[in-house]
Amino acid sequence: MTAAPKVLVFAGSSRQNSLNKQLARLVAKRIEALGGVATFVDLKDYPCPLFDEDIETQGMPENVLKLRKLLADHRALFIASPEYNGFITPLLKNTLD
């Protein structure tokens, strides 16, 4: 029997009552109900500096390393994100960078 896939779930919004954050939490619960393994993370708990190669040369910030490990430990990713001027939010763009 194969292990249930691990899915990392988060929202591209840091606002506490964000509809996207509520959706992400609901999706995580649904994944669990279907037998999967879901990890919901709030990006507000992982503040990262804006991407800057000068910072990168000094070593990756701790929260960047934590997020990188979370991504590596999961087989799938679910992102609920609002649209921001026709694109993803600055928070999500910086997180993915």
Side-chain angles (χ1 to χ4, degrees), residues 11-25 80 82:
S13 174
S14 61
R15 196 170 55 82
Q16 185 169 347
N17 294 320
S18 160
L19 292 176
N20 290 282
K21 198 177 285 188
Q22 292 175 39
L23 174 62
R25 284 189 175 106

Side-chain angles (χ1 to χ4, degrees), residues 24-36:
R25 284 189 175 106
L26 181 65
V27 166
K29 287 180 184 177
R30 187 69 180 136
I31 290 168
E32 294 279 335
L34 292 171

Side-chain angles (χ1 to χ4, degrees), residues 44-79:
K44 201 174 213 174
D45 296 333
Y46 297 88
C48 296
L50 290 175
F51 176 76
D52 182 336
E53 286 184 354
D54 291 334
I55 292 174
E56 191 175 16
T57 61
Q58 299 168 11
M60 289 287 193
E62 183 179 347
N63 284 331
V64 172
L65 294 174
K66 288 178 184 178
L67 283 171
R68 182 183 278 179
K69 179 160 177 22
L70 278 170
L71 286 166
D73 289 344
H74 292 77
R75 290 190 53 203
L77 178 63
F78 180 90
I79 303 170

